[in-house]
Amino acid sequence: MLKVKKLRCEYKKNPLGIDVLSPRFSWQLESDGRGIMQTAYQVQVSKGDDTFKNLVWDTGIVNSDKSAHIEYEGEALISRQRYYYRIMVWDNKGNVSGWSEPGFFETGLLDKKEWKAEWITSSIYDDAQTSDICPLLRKDFSTAGKVRSARVYATALGLYELYINGSRVSDHLFTPGWTSYNKRLQYQTYDVTEMLKDGNNAIGAVLGNGWYKGNLVWAGNKNLYGDKAALLLQLHVTYEDGNENLILSDGSWKTSSGPILMSEIYHGETYDARLEKEGWSMAGYDDSSWESAAILQHPKEILVAQENVPVRVIQEIKPINIINTPKGEAVLDFGQNMVGWVRFEVEGPEGAEVVLRHAEVLDKDGNFYVDNLRSAKQTIRYILKGTGRECYEPHFTFQGFRYVKIESYPGDIMLENFTGRVIHSDMETTGSFTCSNELVNQLQHNIVWGQKGNFLDVPTDCPQRDERLGWTGDAQMFIRTACFNMNVASFFAKWLRDLSADQSEEKGVPHVIPHVLDDNSYSSSAWGDAATICPWTIYTCYGDKRILEEQYESMKHWVEYIRRQGDDEYLWNTGFHFGDWLGLDSKADSYVGATPVDFIATAYYAYSTDILAKTAKVLGKWEDAAEYEELYKNIIVSFRKEFVTPNGRLASPTQTAHVLALMFNLVDARDRKRVTRDLVKLIEQNGYHLTTGFVGTPYLCHVLSQNGHNDIAYKLLLQTDYPSWLYQITKGATTIWEHWDGIKEDGSFWSKDMNSFNHYAYGSIGDWLYRSVAGINTDSEMTGYKRIHITPKPGPGLEFAEAKLESMYGRVESAWAISEDSMKLKVCIPANTTAVVVLPSADLSGVLENGKRLKDAGGITSYEQTDEGVRIQLGSGDYEFTYSLV
Ligand code: RAM
């Protein structure tokens, strides 16, 4: 039995409107045997239909075990064309799969000249009094024959929602997404064939301020990219007879104000249902009182097709309780700190109001608490039209909340009338981790919810206060964890293109991407290093070489930028740095931990240079590889001179300094022992608690597990008192906090100026849970889990742990359980990969696989006794090892 499944093109299932000229195909093999490898493949691509008679590419039989990222090399792709593709594979057991079900991809507008439409806007923006209203734009049109297919290509300055004949065109939210708008603006493609009617039709759009012109960064800061929202749209209608009709945004469109009086990302929405224009996006609506849309001059060269996955409503949550607080407030509790909004139903008289405010936490007395939101209002105001049952949800805003205070609502408040709508970028869920400790399971849950709430088109620091920005440091700290939980490849590919686009003239990296802070907000170490760490991590986890090709210049520019700083080529000891942000060893009234910033800066300089040298090798840029290897060596020499005493002690007695020195291999083999011993001492002195901030925390448990102190890593993980990962769980957290003590023992808050309860940085422990506790890792040469390492590290306090990961090749699983002195390890390895499994504390003579001795078990190619345990090389399949612990 051999089948090809899960066909993907550019990571997507049947994508519409791509503009990649050489799209990449990936697939998985389905087979129930063990040790299955692909020995050959054939790809066929046909233009226009799935009969595969009109082939534009046929690879023939290619002897190769490659099943991820096969680049299209056929006839040049043309615009607005659907291409079907199918795959056949051969395996090492003599099986042939036959052709797969066809997949397809469709190109968008590949040539910028094909944009015939004009940018249209509204006079609403000319008057400060009306400039927050979301304008409506509409046009009637008619079809002239039987429609074979119809596509809309659309984008906006600001945000847009589209309607055809009274219905929403798509479930994509926050289109066109957030990019570095002055340089890159995405457009979306929609298949609207089924929405068109014979004869008269209408199309309409609503525009919102969004990131483009709304309030962003701090109170009162608006119009960052421009002061007018605008629409650009082309509707291409193709008839059965092959004729085509184009409906373009232009001066013939009409515009008017609508019911949305204000919609702002931070502040919420004000909606007056009395101002609804019923039927406005239907044919024949009387728009004689509407004015003509105004044309706006704005470049179209910056347009690119949608790159990442769209934002959607992903799930719904019902409130679990209605609380009457000591202050007498009526507060809904959704039981989960979530991001999105509340949809509600209401019935009442015309002009009555529903007012909802959103908050993450209650204060220690149980009252509604909004101080940590700073200036973000997070307020929804809905004015009823009074015609019966009304149902509403907001349009161009999102809230970060668990609690909703109902400040006004006509009639009785009934839980069933409220629904939490959870939104985020629609990334495929790929990972899960569970173990015998419920608090740790809640931690994993919180990490995942931190990812949901903060992966909203760009990776943000927080989703609730007046910030919600693409902080580079946070992103690089969390990316490896993110790659386990969900498929984030296209999400980061897009964001990294903005990072490159926003690098300064000197090639520094802004603190936030897209760059919206002032001109001095560039190039902190550990933040700017997102330029190298993020592409490298995507390459590592998905085997994606193209992201390295695309980002190479940006990566190199970043390293060269650092190299030019100060007068010592091999140290980075100048400029501004966030340091070990929020480290617990910082001075009173400071956010910067005690680890010297030049120590951190030089450590990251070395790390980025190492990544760059490795990237150059992967890409076959041998001269660069040699140059950066040399640079790396010199940085290490200087680092040691500057920060390591002749006897091997680190100049900085902090946990974070020791963690970085070990993780980035900055000290020599002899000194490793001492540095490890000193780190353990520092942890002991602190009662087995961490003091690390943003920089040290992601690697703390890794270096302990890798250097003979796995038991201490477990001890840190399982601490429940402050400071620890589980402390916040004992305080009822449902997402990861920004501060170790966001809520203190006595119930008081850390501070109101910077206290997010949904900040993923400390969720970076997730990487250690998957990679060390469960032990799932990819080989560093055969990346993307083409070769898998299963090296679980059980430790005191857990009886079992299991992790699953849907890799490019299929499901990888590692599940161990210890009872008394025996150990069971279940392993799943997908077809077309191989694996190395290390059974910890095992003696070869006692290991059984499904009751059989290793020599008799299928799929195993070799095994040996090592100091760590038994090391087994095997092929695909499901295995279950049992043995007595020695
Ligand atoms: C804050 C956020 C963010 C962090 C920066 C330095 O605004 O907490 O997470 O990266 O500071």
Side-chain angles (χ1 to χ4, degrees):
M1 193 284 270
L2 179 67
K3 273 192 188 157
V4 182
K5 59 171 184 177
K6 215 171 166 184
L7 268 60
R8 292 291 179 268
C9 173
E10 289 298 312
Y11 293 100
K12 292 174 186 152
K13 187 179 176 186
N14 301 340
L16 280 191
I18 62 170
D19 63 1
V20 183
L21 298 179
S22 172
R24 295 162 298 169
F25 305 115
S26 303
W27 59 86
Q28 293 181 5
L29 269 59
E30 191 178 326
S31 168
D32 47 13
R34 279 188 177 181
I36 304 298
M37 290 296 286
Q38 174 186 297
T39 52
Y41 70 77
Q42 182 169 6
V43 181
Q44 286 187 339
V45 180
S46 103
K47 193 164 80 180
D49 64 51
D50 61 359
T51 58
F52 292 91
K53 287 196 183 117
N54 195 5
L55 291 185
V56 287
W57 194 42
D58 185 349
T59 60
I61 299 175
V62 181
N63 291 325
S64 163
D65 67 353
K66 233 185 132 182
S67 57
H69 311 300
I70 310 295
E71 297 194 6
Y72 174 78
E73 285 171 1
E75 229 172 69
L77 299 179
I78 56 171
S79 277
R80 304 200 313 100
Q81 182 68 54
R82 182 172 288 196
Y83 294 88
Y84 288 86
Y85 67 105
R86 61 181 180 179
I87 316 287
M88 179 147 39
V89 300
W90 288 256
D91 74 10
N92 56 343
K93 309 278 166 171
N95 299 310
V96 194
S97 67
W99 286 115
S100 66
E101 287 291 308
F104 68 81
F105 66 93
E106 207 176 284
T107 48
L109 301 174
L110 300 181
D111 184 349
K112 313 267 187 249
K113 288 198 210 80
E114 291 169 278
W115 283 99
K116 307 283 181 216
E118 292 180 287
W119 286 102
I120 54 173
T121 184
S122 156
S123 64
I124 273 178
Y125 303 118
D126 298 338
D127 179 349
Q129 297 296 314
T130 54
S131 68
D132 275 336
I133 295 176
C134 296
L136 311 178
L137 292 151
R138 75 177 304 282
K139 182 179 170 71
D140 283 314
F141 63 95
S142 49
T143 51
K146 186 124 187 60
V147 175
R148 181 166 46 173
S149 80
R151 295 287 180 275
V152 167
Y153 304 93
T155 185
L157 307 177
L159 301 174
Y160 72 93
E161 263 179 18
L162 280 188
Y163 294 80
I164 288 182
N165 297 329
S167 304
R168 270 295 286 274
V169 162
S170 124
D171 58 359
H172 298 191
L173 302 168
F174 291 89
T175 46
W178 190 9
T179 47
S180 177
Y181 288 135
N182 297 328
K183 298 156 195 151
R184 293 165 17 85
L185 175 62
Q186 295 185 127
Y187 68 88
Q188 285 71 40
T189 303
Y190 308 104
D191 180 351
V192 296
T193 315
E194 301 300 322
M195 300 187 81
L196 297 188
K197 293 184 184 151
D198 285 346
N200 296 336
N201 290 271
I203 183 163
V206 192
L207 296 179
N209 291 352
W211 300 284
Y212 185 84
K213 75 174 285 286
N215 182 188
L216 205 59
V217 184
W218 55 80
N221 197 43
K222 298 194 82 166
N223 298 335
L224 260 143
Y225 296 95
D227 58 5
K228 285 184 166 79
L231 176 76
L232 183 74
L233 178 145
Q234 296 192 177
L235 164 58
H236 292 242
V237 184
T238 312
Y239 298 102
E240 289 291 0
D241 62 8
N243 280 338
E244 252 195 49
N245 207 356
L246 262 181
I247 287 93
L248 306 172
S249 56
D250 60 19
S252 70
W253 286 53
K254 293 295 211 58
T255 177
S256 158
S257 60
I260 307 174
L261 300 180
M262 181 282 286
S263 195
E264 282 282 332
I265 287 181
Y266 296 157
H267 303 310
E269 185 164 302
T270 302
Y271 187 99
D272 189 340
R274 295 170 304 185
L275 303 176
E276 282 174 357
K277 316 259 180 208
E278 223 191 304
W280 71 279
S281 64
M282 314 254 266
Y285 175 82
D286 177 11
D287 61 13
S288 54
S289 63
W290 291 34
E291 54 179 75
S292 295
I295 305 289
L296 185 82
Q297 296 308 326
H298 194 84
K300 293 176 206 160
E301 292 72 47
I302 53 173
L303 295 172
V304 293
Q306 165 98 19
E307 295 164 335
N308 66 354
V309 288
V311 177
R312 288 195 170 98
V313 173
I314 306 291
Q315 69 191 93
E316 294 189 340
I317 296 185
K318 292 303 277 184
I320 52 171
N321 201 2
I322 170 136
I323 302 167
N324 190 357
T325 70
K327 279 191 184 163
E329 306 150 312
V331 174
L332 296 175
D333 177 4
F334 282 82
Q336 171 65 51
N337 196 8
M338 58 164 277
V339 175
W341 52 72
V342 175
R343 185 179 62 203
F344 59 81
E345 289 184 35
V346 61
E347 206 168 328
E350 180 185 344
E353 288 192 13
V354 177
V355 178
L356 305 181
R357 295 202 67 186
H358 301 71
E360 290 185 288
V361 288
L362 302 179
D363 69 13
K364 69 170 190 284
D365 303 318
N367 291 313
F368 194 70
Y369 179 80
V370 289
D371 291 358
N372 70 321
L373 305 178
R374 306 195 302 220
S375 72
K377 295 196 183 76
Q378 294 219 115
T379 301
I380 297 295
R381 196 168 147 234
Y382 176 84
I383 302 152
L384 279 72
K385 55 189 170 199
T387 50
R389 207 147 180 81
E390 298 174 40
C391 182
Y392 165 82
E393 59 187 319
H395 301 80
F396 303 115
T397 180
F398 60 87
Q399 286 76 54
F401 66 100
R402 169 174 169 170
Y403 298 98
V404 176
K405 180 171 138 201
I406 303 183
E407 293 190 342
S408 172
Y409 186 85
D412 295 338
I413 298 168
M414 316 255 268
L415 288 185
E416 68 254 32
N417 288 335
F418 299 88
T419 305
R421 303 260 281 166
V422 178
I423 65 163
H424 55 84
S425 286
D426 193 2
M427 302 159 291
E428 179 193 353
T429 298
T430 48
S432 67
F433 175 89
T434 37
C435 69
S436 55
N437 183 307
E438 279 311 319
L439 298 178
V440 176
N441 292 340
Q442 180 69 35
L443 173 66
Q444 167 65 15
H445 168 100
N446 294 7
I447 295 169
V448 170
W449 275 86
Q451 183 163 350
K452 290 183 181 193
N454 285 296
F455 277 52
L456 204 155
D457 206 57
V458 302
T460 59
D461 62 327
C462 62
Q464 73 299 81
R465 67 183 179 217
D466 54 355
E467 196 159 340
R468 315 185 190 190
L469 303 174
W471 284 94
T472 46
D474 306 47
Q476 71 84 356
M477 287 152 205
F478 187 67
I479 186 171
R480 191 73 195 251
T481 303
C483 289
F484 277 110
N485 291 327
M486 300 176 198
N487 187 322
V488 296
S490 67
F491 181 86
F492 272 102
K494 162 189 171 271
W495 184 72
L496 284 166
R497 286 179 197 135
D498 290 307
L499 185 147
S500 314
D502 276 344
Q503 269 173 284
S504 66
E505 256 170 56
E506 300 78 40
K507 302 301 172 194
V509 174
H511 299 331
V512 302
I513 301 294
H515 172 53
V516 284
L517 302 178
D518 61 47
D519 282 345
N520 300 320
S521 304
Y522 281 95
S523 304
S524 162
S525 58
W527 269 249
D529 296 285
T532 51
I533 296 168
C534 293
W536 183 252
T537 305
I538 297 297
Y539 163 70
T540 303
C541 297
Y542 302 97
D544 186 331
K545 254 194 198 179
R546 188 175 281 176
I547 200 160
L548 297 182
E549 282 158 15
E550 277 192 18
Q551 296 301 127
Y552 188 72
E553 283 305 300
S554 156
M555 298 166 84
K556 187 168 162 179
H557 282 146
W558 170 243
V559 169
E560 288 295 342
Y561 167 88
I562 304 173
R563 196 177 188 174
R564 285 193 304 274
Q565 303 309 303
D567 12 275
D568 188 327
E569 190 183 344
Y570 307 126
L571 287 178
W572 193 8
N573 51 16
T574 56
F576 167 81
H577 302 279
F578 290 110
D580 190 20
W581 190 245
L582 309 188
L584 292 173
D585 47 13
S586 58
K587 288 200 192 109
D589 298 329
S590 168
Y591 289 140
V592 182
T595 312
V597 290
D598 57 342
F599 184 107
I600 296 174
T602 306
Y604 269 90
Y605 178 23
Y607 185 40
S608 273
T609 306
D610 186 30
I611 289 176
L612 180 61
K614 287 184 183 144
T615 302
K617 268 198 199 156
V618 170
L619 300 179
K621 298 178 188 288
W622 305 113
E623 263 175 43
D624 277 12
E627 172 166 357
Y628 291 111
E629 267 168 19
E630 188 63 24
L631 176 61
Y632 173 68
K633 279 187 203 140
N634 287 326
I635 299 168
I636 298 284
V637 171
S638 291
F639 177 91
R640 289 179 186 165
K641 266 197 221 144
E642 188 78 12
F643 301 112
V644 188
T645 68
N647 286 340
R649 175 171 170 169
L650 293 188
S652 166
T654 67
Q655 290 182 13
T656 291
H658 289 71
V659 167
L660 292 187
L662 292 168
M663 193 71 193
F664 296 163
N665 282 316
L666 303 176
V667 291
D668 64 26
R670 185 204 60 165
D671 295 342
R672 263 191 106 77
K673 289 208 182 87
R674 166 145 201 191
V675 173
T676 306
R677 215 170 52 225
D678 289 350
L679 172 61
V680 169
K681 233 187 274 163
L682 288 167
I683 295 170
E684 271 169 11
Q685 282 162 5
N686 207 36
Y688 290 99
H689 286 93
L690 50 79
T691 55
T692 49
F694 275 33
V695 167
T697 301
Y699 305 132
L700 177 59
C701 286
H702 273 306
V703 300
L704 289 166
S705 294
Q706 285 166 11
N707 291 282
H709 295 282
N710 192 42
D711 51 338
I712 298 181
Y714 270 67
K715 210 165 183 153
L716 290 177
L717 170 75
L718 297 175
Q719 291 289 18
T720 51
D721 57 345
Y722 168 80
S724 64
W725 284 277
L726 299 187
Y727 165 71
Q728 49 189 270
I729 309 284
T730 68
K731 289 281 173 191
T734 58
T735 38
I736 303 289
W737 295 354
E738 181 174 22
H739 291 268
W740 294 116
D741 54 351
I743 299 174
K744 300 190 179 175
E745 298 277 12
D746 65 3
S748 64
F749 293 117
W750 185 83
S751 118
K752 61 181 180 201
D753 61 319
M754 214 181 69
N755 198 15
S756 150
F757 294 97
N758 194 357
H759 230 75
Y760 53 54
Y762 292 152
S764 52
I765 184 70
D767 170 37
W768 178 77
L769 295 176
Y770 280 104
R771 224 174 352 145
S772 195
V773 175
I776 296 180
N777 204 354
T778 176
D779 189 79
S780 57
E781 301 286 320
M782 297 172 76
T783 56
Y785 300 91
K786 179 70 173 140
R787 183 160 173 79
I788 296 159
H789 292 248
I790 303 282
T791 52
K793 289 200 166 66
L798 293 188
E799 286 85 57
F800 73 84
E802 58 175 75
K804 292 181 188 148
L805 172 69
E806 179 66 23
S807 71
M808 292 300 286
Y809 301 92
R811 183 158 54 89
V812 182
E813 190 178 333
S814 167
W816 56 260
I818 292 178
S819 68
E820 301 193 345
D821 288 335
S822 68
M823 165 99 173
K824 187 159 90 183
L825 176 69
K826 206 178 140 210
V827 171
C828 291
I829 304 299
N832 204 24
T833 67
T834 56
V836 185
V837 177
V838 177
L839 305 176
S841 310
D843 184 80
L844 193 49
S845 61
V847 176
L848 297 178
E849 193 283 308
N850 258 308
K852 287 189 192 147
R853 307 293 301 268
L854 293 186
K855 68 175 172 37
D856 302 321
I860 293 177
T861 45
S862 76
Y863 49 86
E864 60 180 324
Q865 182 77 51
T866 68
D867 291 348
E868 309 153 272
V870 171
R871 193 183 145 89
I872 305 170
Q873 314 246 15
L874 43 74
S876 68
D878 296 352
Y879 301 83
E880 198 171 292
F881 300 99
T882 45
Y883 59 95
S884 301
L885 292 166
V886 290

